[in-house]
Amino acid sequence: ALFASYSYDFAGNVDYCCGDDTCQDAVLTLYSAFSMDASDANTYLTSSCADVYCDYSSYSYYSMSISYSFGSCVSNCSDDVLATEGDQDALCALDDISCTDDCGAEWIAAHCACDTGALFASYSYDFAAAYCCGDDTCQDAIYSMYVAFSMDSSEIDELLDSSCADVSCDTAYSLSYSVSVYSISQTGWCLSSLDHGLYEVADVVSCWSDCIDMFGSDRIVAIDFYPSDNSCYCQDSCDCMADVGDSGTLVTDQGLELPNECGSYSMSHSMSHSYS
């Protein structure tokens, strides 16, 4: 409709209400450019979608893009909430995070209830393992999330039941739930003597799984994954944090305390990582 000879209203339009993050962010920027306060624009656009039905049958429900970071939807939140950006455990531990409702309350609740460690990750998170292998609280939260996507109960039941056919709870679930996830641009990656590289890994979850399969869960403490070239690196310790500022995802054993930066260490991944 860019060159159409009529006014095009994004508010309440299926293109906006059912669009991806890139689309919605662009529309929000558009309204902000019209001198609307960002918070007011977000509230207006969100309310306009109340009666819009999104046909998600053409989307992959379990491959939800979660390149999630705080934006205008938390403009009314306290400093305590804002300080938790990038730290799912800290956010979920707060007694009241209702100020984040405009960011996707049910989606956040599902991550918190299932202790995914992936709320702020920059990759698509597969809720199948969480649902199929989770407890009642986790499963109820995921079910509520899909209700919020305007799916009816029969569609949800069919989708969730069918998804469990290919899920192995003794592996996928344990891998999904024992990790913490960070952005390498903020933390760097864990330098270790192992530093074993793998080629053409599908995603960060596969990176973690492949390293565990290759070296064992008792040895692997961290991985770093780079979506730009689908490279994956297995680490058996976290001696120091290397190359802060790189674009990628760091996954560590949950509870692992990240050490300081590696000082003068600045060797690039192509030079420092070993492949086989």
Side-chain angles (χ1 to χ4, degrees):
L2 176 61
F3 295 99
S5 57
Y6 53 84
S7 297
Y8 185 83
D9 191 358
F10 287 96
N13 190 287
V14 68
D15 291 334
Y16 169 78
C17 298
C18 307
D20 59 18
D21 289 344
T22 302
C23 167
Q24 293 185 345
D25 287 346
V27 174
L28 182 60
T29 300
L30 171 70
Y31 278 84
S32 298
F34 292 156
S35 299
M36 287 185 70
D37 177 78
S39 179
D40 291 340
N42 185 71
T43 300
Y44 169 67
L45 290 167
T46 301
S47 63
S48 74
C49 298
D51 297 322
V52 176
Y53 172 74
C54 297
D55 181 8
Y56 288 104
S57 60
S58 61
Y59 298 92
S60 171
Y61 290 101
Y62 285 118
S63 296
M64 295 174 57
S65 176
I66 56 172
S67 180
Y68 179 79
S69 61
F70 287 161
S72 59
C73 61
V74 294
S75 59
N76 295 321
C77 287
S78 66
D79 290 341
D80 287 344
V81 174
L82 297 177
T84 66
E85 181 171 7
D87 187 340
Q88 177 178 321
D89 291 340
L91 177 66
C92 297
L94 295 177
D95 292 331
D96 183 8
I97 58 172
S98 58
C99 66
T100 65
D101 284 354
D102 288 342
C103 305
E106 294 83 3
W107 180 60
I108 295 175
H111 277 285
C112 289
C114 300
D115 193 23
T116 64
L119 175 61
F120 293 97
S122 57
Y123 55 87
S124 295
Y125 185 77
D126 187 347
F127 276 96
Y131 175 81
C132 303
C133 309
D135 59 19
D136 290 342
T137 301
C138 171
Q139 291 185 344
D140 288 346
I142 292 175
Y143 196 93
S144 297
M145 180 183 69
Y146 287 110
V147 169
F149 293 160
S150 300
M151 295 178 66
D152 63 41
S153 58
S154 61
E155 289 177 317
I156 298 173
D157 289 340
E158 181 180 357
L159 177 66
L160 293 175
D161 290 344
S162 63
S163 72
C164 295
D166 299 321
V167 174
S168 173
C169 292
D170 60 348
T171 56
Y173 183 74
S174 61
L175 294 176
S176 298
Y177 283 75
S178 60
V179 300
S180 297
V181 183
Y182 306 90
S183 170
I184 291 175
S185 64
Q186 298 178 3
T187 65
W189 51 274
C190 284
L191 181 66
S192 77
S193 58
L194 176 62
D195 200 25
H196 182 85
L198 302 173
Y199 288 108
E200 299 180 354
V201 178
D203 53 33
V204 69
V205 177
S206 298
C207 177
W208 178 262
S209 301
D210 290 350
C211 289
I212 292 291
D213 290 343
M214 182 171 292
F215 296 102
S217 59
D218 58 338
R219 183 176 180 187
I220 294 301
V221 302
I223 61 94
D224 43 302
F225 175 76
Y226 304 88
S228 60
D229 60 2
N230 293 95
S231 58
C232 164
Y233 306 96
C234 312
Q235 312 294 349
D236 62 355
S237 65
C238 195
D239 302 333
C240 60
M241 305 308 297
D243 298 334
V244 177
D246 280 4
S247 178
T249 301
L250 168 70
V251 179
T252 72
D253 275 337
Q254 200 166 58
L256 177 70
E257 184 175 349
L258 299 184
N260 295 327
E261 289 187 53
C262 299
S264 60
Y265 181 92
S266 61
M267 191 177 293
S268 68
H269 290 292
S270 60
M271 294 172 62
S272 64
H273 286 81
S274 61
Y275 284 94
S276 67

